[in-house]
Amino acid sequence: MATLAKPPLSEKPEAVVVRFAGDSGDGMQLTGGQFTLSSALSGNDFATFPDFPAEIRAPQGTLFGVSAFQINFGATDIDTAGDAPDVLVAMNPAALKTNLPALKPGGLVIVDEGEFGKRNLDKAKYDTNPLDDDTLAKYDVLRLDISARTIEAVKPYGLGNKDALRSKNMWTLGLALWMFDRDRTPIHDWLKAKFKGKPEIAAANIAALDAGHAYGETAELAGPLRQVHVDPVPTAPGLYRTLTGAEGIALGLVAGCRLLRLPMFFGGYPITPASAILHHLVRMKEFNVTTFQAEDEIAAICAAIGASYAGSLGITSSSGPGIALKTEAIGLGIMTELPLVIVNSQRGGPSTGLPTKTEQSDLYQAVYGRNGDAPMPVIAARSPADAFDCAIEACRIAVQYMTPVMLLTDGYIANAAEPWRVPDPEAFERMPAEFLEEANGPDGQLLPFKRDAKGARPWIKPGTPGLMHRIGGIEKAVDTGHIDYSPANHQAMTDARKNKIEGIRVRDQQVSVGTKGGKLAVVGWGSTYGPIHQAVTRARRGGLDASHIHLRHIWPLPANLGELLGSYDKVLVPEMNTGQLKTLLRDQYLIDAQPLTKTSGQPFQIAELEAAIATYFDGVPGNAGGNIVPPNDQQLPSTES
Amino acid sequence: MNAPVKIETTLKDWETDQEVRWCPGCGDYAILKAVQRTLPVLGADPKNTVFISGIGCSSRFPYYVESYGFHTIHGRAPAVATGVKLANPELDVWIVTGDGDGMSIGGNHTMHILRRNLNCQILLFNNEIYGLTKGQASPTSRLGTRSPTTPAGSYDRPAKACAFAIGAGARFVARGFDVSKKLPEVLEAAYRHQGAAFVEIFQNCIVYNKDVFDGFAAPKGAEDHQLWLEDGQPMLFANGTKGITLDHNTLQLAIVDVVDGDWQSAGVIVHNVRNRSIAHMLVEIPFPEFPKALGVLYDDPRPSFEGEVMDEKARMSEGKEPNLAALLGKGQSWTVDDEQGHPAE
């Protein structure tokens, strides 16, 4: 396993990685979320990684019921949730067991020893208590009976033990707030608002939070516990907010529809991790958003297609297995040339796979996965903030080219949060959609499939006088759209559909880090942006001639990409799949793109990418590179259990 | 409302220039004519009318009606129609489907459009066979139907479309058949119903399932085999010599003789289209033991789905400005007012 050689936490570190881990009922996601807000309010840059089980309430104390939240916050730009935590908070033995391997050597582990009884040790499959043997020998350990201290703190509020223990996470958060010198007021306010109708619960939680904080203050003894201060990151002035990928997508879709001056119709069906987008949109109805929870994935997309036909922008969203169900309807959207946005929040597959874990394995499905020659634009977001821009881009392409567009995101982006400088909508380019209002052919003839210079057909809403016509999934005649199976016509229409999509104008590909031309291009897409960006930056700092190229447009690819990739000696493609973009690049450009793959359900670590990049240079800074033959098809093992 | 303004049209206005591609003698021709004859009566407006279909012989229907039309994919017409109607509730939406399309591959959508009660007309052409794929047994094929996939006769029990519909929560259930003169009346009633109106139309597939409905649809003996239901009228057939009554011991419908037109003393039920219990029985009575129940079996409107969706949208939007800048800045936000990144107080 690759580890980072960082010194133990100093008093003023540049960045700190903290992981909160506990039982799925312990409220770790909530704790992490509030700690994130606190980091934001302290002016730190940050990235988070919530990692939780698929089970809603897995049996208490079990290894598979552990829920974790990792945050990397710092006084410099933060791109990833961090490779290895500096601090691990483990609320029970199972959380310790599953998360300890990730902890940095010499890191601090805070455990609730009140949970380390025989029962919980058995459930975590510990033969002996890890607090008493040498399991934790290479770490700083802080043993606290958080359970008992929480019960003590909330005693005045008359709660039973079970209810009192629910505030354990707040005690822990209080301690963390002290440790990183944070203001408690915003969390107090949040608790008061959250438990508005239950003032005694609010008060108990605040008491637990304050008790955790006070513990830190008074117990700042010799030993591992001490206060650490992380400076704010220099940032452009402006309004900021935390943004998750699901929020970024929802807001971007609303903005896209506003810029197109179209009502939004969103059809969805519950699926992890895509549901959050629908949850956000149902609360934005004042923006002329209609949401529809359909009976299944197929109905969700078909209703969206129907809405697009009737003049709204139809949008649907799902994750891999749901996208598979929608596939036939995507073909209908392509065939009838109606605008449609399909958001795919990818997760581990195939089949049900790993519903709450992240993967990028739906690229083939997005680009190739339909019957017939069915070309469709594919866009991939690289971060929550980028998801906002990508959603607008997807809406634009869908309407301007009259086509379904797939927007790829993944479980990591959907749930992760980052600070986002709130853009001014006045600065966005307006792009009002146009509908055909009168016949467009000679002698007043209507030609529903007559194409404009971009190859797009007109959008005709039912309700428009004099433009009645029929569309469908059967092959249609050029211009008139009448049923037509004739050989020449099918050839012409297949070509027209293909040319339209391949002709979509997308921005030229830029180099994210490094230079055009050189020894090695590291080409990524989607949520691997952060780790690749950091790894290439570090490699360059170490004198290696590597550059980072990150694709937003997966299909069609940017027009300059072939030439750009050809300017490097080697092309390395790290992906959280078995090499799907690699195949696409080889296919399109006949280049020897090399895969670097990982399918453990966990994001790439910076260190493992750095190590892989180094193999191209024999690990030696300044090495000319190109003489080393790196192992083909590098498959990274899971670095976490 | 289905049609806010009545539009003057004739049957010709509803014909397209497309060549009709059904087999000569297919029952679909008669249904098409019945629909084209009914639309002018309704005062329907071609520009606000949308015919939406799935896949199968019946689903070619939209190509032949001069209105907006969408020939979608197998079984999914109700889902597409839901999106159309939610995007523009002013449109008159007609769904054309078949027994394979609506009861088999699309059964799920049929169920949900009915329980949601989307304001539309659903015309299910039931020919008890897969016609377009060359004659396989369908979910409504009778037991023992010989077909390429059931050479020794079908053995899976047939679904009853109207029983399915009412079980799914339909508020309007009616029946007719392709060549029936009364079909336009049934279609008109379906159109007048505010909500999902389910109409099963028995349709003769002359190639793969010829004349399977002759038992009740043939002109000869029709009076004995057809029970045409009319709201407020006694359930009489066989020229008024027989009627339908309720057997109070078994709580089932039964046939009684009516002497000298005195249906009251024979205990014949007066049809009430709002009586859901009777409707449940009417969709279940077996043929030929009973005559085929035809016409409007059930009609008791409830608020429509698109109305509820629009109301909810209006309620949730009330007093809220669609201010995009405010929306983007909502939630956990903070302001940075100097280059050092220190948040403002």
Side-chain angles (χ1 to χ4, degrees):
Chain A
M1 176 185 136
T3 51
L4 285 178
K6 261 197 181 176
L9 221 47
S10 67
E11 266 170 45
K12 258 196 171 197
E14 224 178 42
V16 178
V17 180
V18 179
R19 185 183 293 192
F20 299 95
D23 200 62
S24 31
D26 281 344
M28 290 297 99
Q29 301 304 321
L30 214 61
T31 309
Q34 289 307 306
F35 190 79
T36 303
L37 173 64
S38 160
S39 305
L41 294 176
S42 300
N44 298 135
D45 194 10
F46 60 84
T48 70
F49 177 44
D51 188 12
F52 45 85
E55 294 75 16
I56 300 299
R57 287 276 184 274
Q60 230 178 350
T62 55
L63 292 168
F64 60 87
V66 172
S67 172
F69 186 100
Q70 183 165 316
I71 176 168
N72 182 7
F73 57 100
T76 56
D77 285 346
I78 299 292
D79 279 335
T80 79
D83 281 6
D86 300 290
V87 179
L88 169 66
V89 179
M91 301 299 284
N92 68 5
L96 181 69
K97 188 159 202 180
T98 50
N99 289 283
L100 193 63
L103 187 63
K104 196 176 291 179
L108 171 64
V109 52
I110 301 173
V111 294
D112 178 3
E113 63 180 354
E115 290 288 325
F116 279 66
K118 171 139 180 29
R119 210 174 123 82
N120 277 347
L121 289 170
D122 285 349
K123 282 190 197 161
K125 305 201 163 43
Y126 273 123
D127 296 332
T128 58
N129 191 337
L131 305 182
D132 299 333
D133 59 22
D134 61 356
T135 307
L136 304 176
K138 48 177 182 164
Y139 308 103
D140 270 346
V141 183
L142 183 61
R143 302 168 55 154
L144 291 168
D145 193 340
I146 295 174
S147 301
R149 286 170 193 280
T150 303
I151 290 173
E152 184 65 28
V154 306
K155 209 177 226 166
Y157 303 95
L159 304 176
N161 263 11
K162 200 176 156 204
D163 282 334
L165 283 173
R166 289 222 175 109
S167 305
K168 259 191 328 190
N169 60 336
M170 286 301 120
W171 197 98
T172 314
L173 180 61
L175 179 62
L177 292 179
W178 172 80
M179 201 174 155
F180 296 100
D181 195 11
R182 297 278 177 74
D183 182 10
R184 277 167 293 157
T185 320
I187 317 294
H188 286 172
D189 294 344
W190 169 75
L191 283 166
K192 283 176 199 155
K194 184 175 167 67
F195 298 108
K196 211 169 171 184
K198 298 174 183 165
E200 72 288 353
I201 303 283
N205 276 294
I206 289 170
L209 184 89
D210 289 350
H213 193 269
Y215 177 86
E217 263 176 3
T218 52
E220 191 181 3
L221 313 164
L225 196 59
R226 61 193 163 76
Q227 217 168 11
V228 169
H229 186 83
V230 179
D231 280 337
V233 64
T235 318
L239 177 66
Y240 286 77
R241 58 167 288 174
T242 62
L243 188 76
T244 65
E247 288 169 336
I249 299 259
L251 293 173
L253 293 173
V254 170
C257 288
R258 298 290 284 182
L259 297 171
L260 290 158
R261 288 211 201 110
L262 289 173
M264 182 202 300
F265 177 93
F266 188 95
Y269 181 78
I271 185 169
T272 302
S275 302
I277 298 170
L278 175 56
H279 300 171
H280 290 306
L281 286 169
V282 290
R283 301 190 171 276
M284 300 179 186
K285 296 207 163 133
E286 68 271 25
F287 291 89
N288 205 357
V289 171
T290 300
T291 57
F292 172 55
Q293 182 182 325
E295 59 269 30
D296 60 26
E297 296 285 2
I298 298 170
I301 186 171
C302 284
I305 290 171
S308 281
Y309 173 62
S312 293
L313 180 54
I315 301 173
T316 189
S317 149
S318 190
S319 185
I323 299 294
L325 284 165
K326 295 180 194 291
T327 300
E328 186 194 11
I330 295 175
L332 178 68
I334 291 168
M335 194 61 160
T336 52
E337 302 189 46
L338 286 168
L340 178 71
V341 175
I342 306 134
V343 183
N344 180 358
S345 300
Q346 299 167 94
R347 65 191 212 188
S351 187
T352 305
L354 294 78
T356 60
K357 307 294 177 194
T358 196
E359 210 165 272
Q360 301 181 293
S361 45
D362 295 350
L363 185 143
Y364 287 160
Q365 183 190 37
V367 177
Y368 299 121
R370 285 167 296 282
N371 63 302
D373 281 304
M376 175 172 70
V378 179
I379 300 174
R382 69 186 196 196
S383 70
D386 190 50
F388 176 81
D389 297 331
C390 286
I392 296 176
E393 178 77 341
C395 294
R396 176 188 76 83
I397 292 177
V399 170
Q400 291 182 350
Y401 291 87
M402 293 294 283
T403 178
V405 176
M406 187 171 286
L407 172 54
L408 294 174
T409 168
D410 62 38
Y412 178 63
I413 296 176
N415 295 317
E418 67 175 358
W420 181 49
R421 190 171 174 207
V422 178
D424 176 10
E426 292 303 315
F428 298 153
E429 185 196 343
R430 272 152 186 70
M431 42 194 188
E434 284 173 25
F435 293 94
L436 192 69
E437 300 291 346
E438 49 194 50
N440 56 345
D443 309 323
Q445 202 193 349
L446 172 65
L447 299 174
F449 282 81
K450 184 181 168 189
R451 295 170 192 282
D452 65 13
K454 301 189 302 294
R457 79 175 187 95
W459 195 357
I460 311 166
K461 271 194 282 200
T464 311
L467 300 190
M468 285 82 72
H469 68 289
R470 277 63 57 190
I471 61 170
I474 293 191
E475 185 61 285
K476 291 162 294 295
V478 170
D479 291 347
T480 66
H482 295 320
I483 293 180
D484 189 339
Y485 305 145
S486 66
N489 181 70
H490 182 53
Q491 182 74 56
M493 287 298 270
T494 302
D495 293 346
R497 287 186 289 265
K498 179 172 185 279
N499 293 338
K500 177 177 83 169
I501 301 305
E502 290 180 2
I504 290 173
R505 281 216 310 257
V506 304
R507 268 193 331 215
D508 265 358
Q509 184 63 45
Q510 306 293 313
V511 178
S512 293
V513 180
T515 56
K516 184 185 171 191
K519 298 294 176 200
L520 178 69
V522 186
V523 184
W525 65 283
S527 71
T528 53
Y529 176 82
I532 298 177
H533 186 83
Q534 284 294 335
V536 171
T537 303
R538 289 183 193 175
R540 291 187 70 82
R541 240 183 254 151
L544 306 183
D545 179 16
S547 297
H548 176 201
I549 292 168
H550 213 75
L551 302 183
R552 169 184 283 184
H553 291 277
I554 306 295
W555 196 264
L557 291 160
N560 68 328
L561 185 64
E563 192 229 327
L564 178 62
L565 294 182
S567 70
Y568 300 93
D569 294 347
K570 298 271 181 189
V571 174
L572 175 66
V573 187
E575 292 177 89
M576 294 186 287
N577 59 44
T578 57
Q580 301 189 7
L581 178 65
K582 170 268 305 173
T583 306
L584 190 73
L585 296 178
R586 286 183 182 178
D587 164 40
Q588 292 299 305
Y589 305 118
L590 293 175
I591 56 165
D592 184 23
Q594 287 298 315
L596 175 66
T597 64
K598 178 171 181 175
T599 54
S600 62
Q602 300 292 327
F604 277 113
Q605 298 206 330
I606 299 164
E608 61 196 14
L609 290 176
E610 259 190 288
I613 291 168
T615 61
Y616 281 77
F617 301 90
D618 198 17
V620 181
N623 181 313
N627 302 322
I628 305 299
V629 182
N632 202 6
D633 277 7
Q634 292 183 78
Q635 165 79 50
L636 293 173
S638 168
T639 51
E640 294 175 50
S641 57
Chain B
M1 282 299 290
N2 260 330
V5 185
K6 276 202 153 206
I7 301 292
E8 293 284 334
T9 58
T10 64
L11 186 153
K12 284 271 166 225
D13 293 326
W14 295 94
E15 290 177 348
T16 63
D17 59 356
Q18 295 297 293
E19 190 188 337
V20 183
R21 298 192 187 195
W22 290 311
C23 307
C26 174
D28 287 349
Y29 285 94
I31 303 173
L32 176 62
K33 272 282 176 282
V35 169
Q36 287 167 332
R37 196 168 287 138
T38 306
L39 289 165
V41 176
L42 303 174
D45 183 348
K47 79 172 188 310
N48 282 332
T49 301
V50 187
F51 277 84
I52 301 172
S53 63
I55 292 292
C57 292
S58 61
S59 291
R60 294 296 182 94
F61 202 91
Y63 291 111
Y64 311 132
V65 183
E66 185 57 43
S67 68
Y68 284 91
F70 199 164
H71 179 207
T72 71
I73 45 178
H74 208 5
R76 319 303 172 198
V80 174
T82 302
V84 168
K85 191 76 181 173
L86 291 182
N88 185 357
E90 299 299 314
L91 298 172
D92 281 345
V93 173
W94 297 75
I95 294 168
V96 179
T97 182
D99 43 312
D101 192 60
M103 294 294 294
S104 196
I105 194 167
N108 192 32
H109 309 303
T110 307
M111 171 167 89
H112 289 281
I113 197 171
L114 291 171
R115 77 165 174 89
R116 289 193 187 107
N117 198 29
L118 189 85
N119 191 7
C120 65
Q121 294 71 246
I122 303 162
L123 312 184
L124 187 143
F125 298 7
N126 183 5
N127 57 13
E128 299 186 358
I129 208 79
Y130 283 95
L132 202 57
T133 50
K134 301 194 190 300
Q136 300 83 354
S138 91
T140 56
S141 293
R142 287 166 223 182
L143 283 175
T145 298
R146 287 178 189 276
S147 80
T149 52
T150 55
S154 62
Y155 41 80
D156 48 347
R157 309 198 76 79
K160 296 173 187 157
C162 287
F164 175 87
I166 201 160
R171 309 301 307 185
F172 180 100
V173 177
R175 266 192 197 140
F177 59 91
D178 45 16
V179 295
S180 167
K181 290 216 164 28
K182 291 189 178 179
L183 185 57
E185 286 171 35
V186 174
L187 297 173
E188 192 177 338
Y191 183 85
R192 304 276 177 229
H193 174 87
Q194 298 297 306
F198 183 84
V199 185
E200 179 183 25
I201 304 171
F202 299 106
Q203 174 248 324
N204 190 11
C205 174
I206 56 123
V207 175
Y208 296 111
N209 215 15
K210 194 167 188 282
D211 300 339
V212 283
F213 303 115
D214 267 7
F216 63 88
K220 193 170 182 286
E223 59 281 3
D224 294 334
H225 302 129
Q226 297 176 12
L227 173 68
W228 281 96
L229 296 156
E230 259 182 84
D231 191 31
Q233 296 300 314
M235 296 185 189
L236 294 170
F237 64 104
N239 297 321
T241 61
K242 288 176 194 260
I244 302 293
T245 188
L246 182 69
D247 182 327
H248 291 268
N249 292 320
T250 62
L251 288 179
Q252 285 177 323
L253 298 182
I255 296 171
V256 286
D257 290 324
V258 176
V259 183
D260 298 334
D262 185 6
W263 55 267
Q264 286 98 335
S265 60
V268 172
I269 303 167
V270 174
H271 186 49
N272 173 1
V273 289
R274 289 185 161 72
N275 189 325
R276 196 167 178 86
S277 303
I278 295 292
H280 272 289
M281 296 187 203
L282 287 170
V283 297
E284 290 284 356
I285 52 173
F287 183 85
E289 294 85 342
F290 282 81
K292 199 80 177 173
L294 298 164
V296 179
L297 278 56
Y298 180 63
D299 181 0
D300 188 14
R302 286 286 182 277
S304 69
F305 180 59
E306 74 282 6
E308 303 278 2
V309 170
M310 295 309 134
D311 287 353
E312 196 238 17
K313 188 169 163 181
R315 276 199 309 278
M316 287 185 76
S317 306
E318 213 176 305
K320 291 187 191 165
E321 279 296 311
N323 181 333
L324 189 57
L327 177 75
L328 300 184
K330 224 160 107 178
Q332 301 184 334
S333 62
W334 63 97
T335 303
V336 173
D337 61 0
D338 68 37
E339 290 293 338
Q340 278 65 52
H342 290 290
E345 285 307 312

